[in-house]
């Protein structure tokens, strides 16, 4: 077994001759492990640090945790010398220590010399392999100060058990409900009393769920176990509860708005965007419901590195560079032709430089990263836009910005044709080939989905405003959707994609929703158009909740009409005269703002335009239909 022992003395953060001094790691794939010595509950923590090549290391546990307050530190004794660690890490190591045998542990704060940026970058590049090769990963959630852990974990197990025992199938589709649990409504509502709900909410509000590094650390694990105080549960139970809270309406109803909002924040982003996208060999593959969800995501969505970066913005990192570096162990961060990462971690790099490098590298395979350009609602675009406009700031989540989407569409036929982007970069400018298909002429105000008792009333007011806008636009030029106006309107508000049903079905479901929640709007403005669809023969599947779709896709966006009679959703800073474009290499349309210099544009943001989301505009151009022109577009 190739290894070296570290037991040398020297200066460290403690400023003492008794502090620990790291020796340089050998070149290649070497890393350190902590040999945690046995001890009783009150014994001093003692360990040794040893260095191994990755492929010959002993079986070890990898720790996933939050550092905690770095001003409150204690010490661990390492080969007779001292290493300062946070109290949270100290508590976790005490839980991991066994009374009668040694434990090998990998933990970043001890195994990486935190004062050495060069070593940090090298070890971050190996971190994917480190977590992937661990026997299992321990998710340390901290001490259970309020005494919530036992009840919270038991609630997860009980809910999972009742749902799985009643489910006829473990397969997921876009309409999938694990089962219809109307007969279990009493179980959820009586068993999940306020105490249960509060304990579970305390679990998912744990700071661990806000840390960007946990996405990779757990995602790569063969097996993961969560420990909170003295209680433990298989991590798959934590993920399953997130899953069921979204796809079992009876459970969603019983949990209440506060807990559901928490679950649909960072926990759901972690599950959907990251944990279910690592592929074979992880704990997700050993959990039937989650494996089915993962299979559906990989089959139906264009899973790429952009999907990981979209999740990253929701989480926190002490170093903003880690919003990118935290995913270098993901399969989508590896170039298949060389088996090398897209880029190397380098902690000496400035943040704008990293973002530029990431954007340039991603542009080689697709332009979907452009969907992550975000601006604050209410800002004046030309005064506040950062330069260049096409480079996202992946460390910033703009409040009330719209949810990015691109995974299920193919506006430029990039996916079906497997064509690389027609783009190149000159300095700070991105030059792409694209189709200029239309201009915005009218737009609504931005829909702000504020969770109050008047939320649905405000939403319906906004929807009515959008419908009225289509009537105003029709006075100038009739829309292109002919007798499918209601289907086009409903599909635009819900950003429908093909796997979710036909446009006739969506029109029928939208009519039903209007009849139930806003009958006056339906009677006065939609009833005439409702003749387009046969509502009686198209029951809405339990898996389709139009309100969720509308709120998710419309939040932070405006509805717009175009000069040629199209309808769409655009970024909050859209305005009349902005151009609707299809960029070759991107899977959704974009809204561009023309600049004084011919052919130069600023990127306003992504859009949804009904009737062009699956390459229809490209097909029109290829068949030489008028009104569509291919040009070189310079994004500045």
């Amino acid at each position: 077994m190739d290894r070296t022992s570290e037991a040398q003395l020297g200066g460290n953060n403690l400023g003492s001759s008794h502090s620990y001094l790291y020796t340089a790691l050998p070149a290649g794939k070497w890393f350190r492990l902590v040999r945690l010595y046995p001890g009783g509950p009150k014994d001093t923590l003692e360990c040794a640090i040893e260095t191994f090549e990755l492929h010959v290391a002993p079986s070890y546990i990898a720790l996933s945790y939050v550092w905690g307050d770095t001003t409150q530190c204690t010490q661990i004794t390492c080969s007779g010398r001292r290493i300062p660690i946070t109290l949270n890490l100290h508590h976790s190591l005490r839980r991991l220590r066994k009374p009668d045998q040694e434990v090998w542990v990998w933990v970043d704060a001890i195994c990486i010399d935190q004062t050495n940026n060069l070593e940090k970058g090298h070890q971050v590049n190996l971190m994917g392999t480190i977590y992937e090769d661990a026997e299992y990963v321990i998710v340390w959630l901290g001490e259970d100060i309020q005494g919530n852990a036992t009840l919270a974990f038991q609630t997860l197990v009980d809910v999972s058990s009742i749902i799985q025992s009643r489910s006829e199938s473990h397969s997921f589709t876009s309409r999938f409900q694990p089962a219809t649990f109307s007969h279990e409504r009493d179980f959820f509502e009586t068993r999940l009393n306020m105490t249960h709900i509060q304990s579970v909410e305390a679990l998912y509000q744990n700071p661990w769920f806000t840390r960007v590094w946990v996405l990779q650390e757990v995602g790569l694990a063969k097996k993961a176990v969560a420990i909170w105080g003295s209680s433990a549960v298989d991590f798959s139970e934590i993920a399953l509860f997130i899953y069921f809270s979204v796809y079992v309406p009876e459970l969603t109803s019983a949990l209440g708005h506060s807990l559901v909002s928490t679950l649909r924040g960072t926990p759901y982003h972690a599950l959907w965007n990251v944990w279910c996208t690592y592929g074979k060999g992880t704990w997700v593959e050993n959990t039937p419901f989650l494996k089915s969800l993962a299979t559906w995501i990989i089959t139906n969505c264009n899973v790429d590195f952009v999907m990981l970066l979209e999740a990253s913005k929701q989480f926190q990192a002490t170093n903003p560079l880690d919003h990118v570096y935290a995913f270098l162990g993901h399969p989508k961060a590896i170039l298949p032709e060389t088996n090398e990462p897209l880029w190397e971690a380098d902690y000496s790099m400035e943040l704008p430089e990293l973002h530029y490098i990431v954007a340039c590298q991603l542009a080689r395979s697709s332009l979907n990263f452009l969907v992550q350009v975000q601006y604050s609602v209410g800002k004046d675009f030309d005064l506040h836009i950062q330069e260049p406009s096409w480079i996202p700031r992946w460390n910033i989540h703009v409040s009330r910005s719209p949810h990015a989407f691109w995974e299920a569409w193919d506006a430029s036929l990039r996916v079906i044709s497997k064509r690389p982007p027609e783009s190149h970069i000159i300095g700070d400018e991105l030059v792409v080939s694209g189709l200029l298909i239309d201009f915005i002429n009218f737009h609504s105000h931005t829909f702000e989905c504020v969770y109050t008792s008047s939320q649905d009333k405000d939403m319906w007011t906004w929807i009515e405003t959008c419908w009225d806008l289509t009537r105003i636009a029709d006075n100038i030029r009739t829309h292109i959707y002919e007798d499918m106006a209601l289907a086009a309107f409903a599909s635009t508000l819900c950003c429908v994609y093909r796997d979710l049903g036909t446009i006739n079905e969506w029109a029928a479901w939208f009519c039903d929703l209007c009849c139930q929640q806003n009958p006056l709007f339906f009677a006065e403005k939609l009833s005439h158009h409702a003749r387009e669809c046969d509502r009686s023969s198209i029951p809405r599947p339990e898996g389709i909740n139009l309100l969720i779709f509308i709120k998710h896709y419309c939040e932070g966006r405006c509805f717009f009409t175009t000069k040629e009679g199209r309808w769409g959703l655009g970024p909050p800073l859209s305005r009349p005269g902005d151009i609707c474009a299809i960029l070759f290499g991107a899977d959704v349309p974009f809204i561009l703002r023309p600049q004084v210099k011919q052919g130069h544009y600023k990127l306003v943001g992504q859009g949804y335009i009904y009737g062009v989301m699956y390459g229809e505009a490209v097909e029109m151009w290829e068949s030489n239909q008028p009104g569509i022109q291919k040009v070189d577009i310079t994004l500045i």
Side-chain angles (χ1 to χ4, degrees):
M1 184 177 291
D2 294 335
R3 70 184 184 189
T4 60
S5 179
E6 298 201 5
Q8 300 188 14
L9 309 182
N12 202 327
N13 293 337
L14 294 178
S16 165
S17 60
H18 297 290
S19 300
Y20 190 86
L21 177 65
Y22 290 89
T23 57
L25 287 166
K29 296 186 176 181
W30 288 75
F31 76 134
R32 302 183 184 93
L33 286 175
V34 172
R35 183 202 292 263
L36 192 59
Y37 293 130
K42 296 184 179 181
D43 293 339
T44 301
L45 277 175
E46 296 191 9
C47 71
I49 299 177
E50 299 193 19
T51 304
F52 298 90
E53 282 192 286
L54 269 172
H55 67 285
V56 293
S59 178
Y60 62 92
I61 299 167
L63 187 64
S64 176
Y65 71 109
V66 175
W67 277 37
D69 189 346
T70 55
T71 65
Q72 298 184 19
C73 291
T74 184
Q75 302 168 8
I76 184 172
T77 301
C78 183
S79 301
R81 310 301 172 184
R82 298 181 297 182
I83 296 179
I85 59 175
T86 64
L87 287 177
N88 193 46
L89 176 55
H90 189 267
H91 295 324
S92 70
L93 293 176
R94 283 193 171 278
R95 295 289 181 185
L96 292 180
R97 180 173 60 178
K98 296 184 178 180
D100 54 0
Q101 66 183 84
E102 297 174 343
V103 179
W104 289 100
V105 182
W106 188 88
V107 52
D108 59 351
I110 300 176
C111 295
I112 300 175
D113 182 357
Q114 299 296 323
T115 66
N116 186 334
N117 278 339
L118 185 62
E119 179 179 301
K120 283 170 65 177
H122 177 264
Q123 290 293 284
V124 164
N125 292 328
L126 298 179
M127 205 170 289
T129 305
I130 291 172
Y131 277 92
E132 188 175 19
D133 288 354
E135 181 182 3
Y136 58 94
V137 171
I138 291 293
V139 175
W140 171 249
L141 299 174
E143 290 296 311
D144 180 22
I145 305 299
Q146 302 298 323
N148 289 308
T150 300
L151 182 59
F153 288 167
Q154 189 59 52
T155 301
L156 304 192
V157 173
D158 289 347
V159 167
S160 176
S161 176
I162 192 68
I163 291 176
Q164 295 191 69
S165 67
R166 300 297 193 274
S167 299
E168 297 178 0
S169 170
H170 290 166
S171 61
F172 178 91
T173 70
S174 60
R175 300 181 179 187
F176 171 67
Q177 293 294 308
T180 299
F181 291 93
S182 57
H183 57 288
E184 302 297 346
R185 188 181 299 274
D186 290 343
F187 168 83
F188 290 132
E189 292 184 352
T190 57
R191 184 64 181 269
L192 297 177
N193 60 37
M194 187 56 66
T195 304
H196 292 86
I197 291 172
Q198 288 175 344
S199 67
V200 172
E201 188 163 10
L203 166 63
Y204 289 102
Q205 289 179 342
N206 189 286
W208 184 89
F209 287 96
T210 68
R211 178 173 169 263
V212 73
W213 276 105
V214 307
L215 299 171
Q216 174 174 269
E217 292 167 356
V218 172
L220 287 164
K222 298 191 213 49
K223 178 179 174 61
V225 176
I227 301 178
W228 190 9
S230 59
S231 301
V233 73
D234 193 285
F235 192 81
S236 63
E237 297 289 352
I238 290 177
L240 277 170
F241 194 85
I242 301 169
Y243 172 86
F244 292 141
S245 75
V246 174
Y247 295 107
V248 180
E250 291 80 8
L251 176 61
T252 304
S253 176
L255 294 178
H257 174 75
S258 179
L259 176 51
V260 170
S261 296
T262 297
L263 290 164
R264 289 183 176 175
T266 54
Y268 186 71
H269 277 92
L271 177 64
W272 181 278
N273 291 63
V274 186
W275 295 335
C276 283
T277 63
Y278 273 95
K280 297 180 179 179
T282 71
W283 54 273
V284 170
E285 292 291 307
N286 298 320
T287 310
F289 276 117
L290 299 180
K291 180 179 180 180
S292 178
L293 173 62
T295 300
W296 188 91
I297 292 172
I298 293 170
T299 302
N300 292 276
C301 300
N302 304 325
V303 177
D304 53 16
F305 198 78
V306 178
M307 195 166 174
L308 308 178
L309 293 175
E310 182 60 24
S312 173
K313 292 187 298 184
Q314 313 293 326
F315 291 78
Q316 299 173 6
T318 303
N319 189 324
L321 299 172
D322 286 336
H323 283 278
V324 173
Y325 294 160
F327 301 105
L328 291 181
H330 195 281
K332 293 299 180 181
I334 305 300
L335 293 169
E337 59 271 19
T338 63
N339 204 34
E340 295 295 326
L342 288 166
W343 45 80
E344 301 282 345
D346 179 359
Y347 283 93
S348 66
M349 189 178 295
E350 295 294 327
L351 187 62
E353 181 185 3
L354 174 64
H355 288 171
Y356 178 81
I357 291 172
V358 172
C360 292
Q361 187 69 280
L362 292 176
R364 296 171 58 185
S365 56
S366 91
L367 300 178
N368 287 332
F369 71 92
L370 297 175
V371 304
Q372 295 172 332
V373 170
Q374 293 182 328
Y375 303 106
S376 299
V377 176
K379 294 284 188 180
D380 182 275
F381 181 79
D382 292 319
L383 291 177
H384 293 85
I385 186 172
Q386 80 269 14
E387 300 288 354
S389 67
W390 55 275
I391 298 180
R393 293 172 292 177
W394 281 289
N395 63 308
I396 296 175
H397 176 63
V398 178
S399 176
R400 294 186 181 177
S401 61
H403 300 281
F405 58 77
W406 70 97
E407 311 97 312
W409 293 276
D410 195 13
S412 71
L413 297 181
R414 179 192 71 89
V415 178
I416 194 171
S417 68
K418 302 187 185 303
R419 290 184 297 201
E422 299 180 21
S423 65
H424 60 278
I425 294 167
I426 304 175
D428 286 344
E429 297 178 347
L430 174 63
V431 183
V432 303
S433 292
L435 304 178
L436 304 182
I437 62 173
D438 219 330
F439 296 83
I440 293 176
N441 59 356
F442 297 106
H443 67 87
S444 72
H445 64 276
T446 302
F447 175 56
E448 297 186 26
C449 189
V450 181
Y451 290 96
T452 66
S453 58
S454 62
Q455 175 197 17
D456 287 349
K457 179 181 177 182
D458 293 342
M459 183 195 73
W460 282 110
T461 299
W462 183 80
I463 290 175
E464 286 194 54
T465 299
C466 296
W467 180 257
D468 292 342
L469 205 62
T470 68
R471 305 302 93 193
I472 295 171
D474 274 358
N475 292 329
I476 299 175
R477 175 162 184 160
T478 304
H479 62 79
I480 65 172
Y481 305 118
E482 299 180 347
D483 60 349
M484 301 302 294
L486 191 56
F489 186 69
S491 297
T492 300
L493 294 181
C494 298
C495 291
V496 172
Y497 49 95
R498 285 176 175 171
D499 188 62
L500 291 180
T502 69
I503 58 172
N504 283 330
E505 289 177 318
W506 280 86
W509 301 332
F510 184 70
C511 286
D512 288 342
L513 180 67
C514 293
C515 287
Q516 294 167 13
Q517 298 204 8
N518 197 343
L520 185 61
F521 169 51
F522 178 81
E524 293 182 350
K525 300 182 179 181
L526 300 185
S527 57
H528 172 73
H529 298 274
R531 299 169 189 170
E532 302 168 3
C533 56
D534 179 9
R535 295 161 52 204
S536 62
S537 61
I538 309 177
R540 179 177 58 83
E542 287 294 330
I544 300 290
N545 187 324
L546 268 69
L547 281 179
I548 291 177
F549 275 81
I550 293 171
K551 293 172 184 177
H552 176 79
Y553 285 113
C554 293
E555 181 178 12
R557 290 191 167 92
C558 66
F559 180 90
F560 64 80
T561 63
T562 71
K563 290 184 178 180
E564 297 298 324
R566 295 180 174 90
W567 301 340
L569 294 176
L573 300 177
S574 302
R575 71 186 187 194
D578 284 345
I579 291 178
C580 306
I582 303 295
L583 307 182
F584 286 103
D587 299 342
V588 293
F590 286 89
I591 309 302
L592 311 179
R593 180 142 319 150
Q595 301 301 295
V596 174
K597 188 174 181 180
Q598 182 70 23
H600 285 60
Y601 305 85
K602 287 183 178 180
L603 178 64
V604 183
Q606 71 171 119
Y608 180 100
I609 304 173
Y610 184 73
V612 305
M613 299 303 294
Y614 288 98
E616 296 91 338
V618 177
E619 292 169 351
M620 290 174 62
W621 167 72
E622 290 176 338
S623 61
N624 296 315
Q625 294 188 36
I628 304 289
Q629 55 177 320
K630 182 180 180 181
V631 297
D632 285 337
I633 296 169
T634 300
L635 298 178
I636 64 172

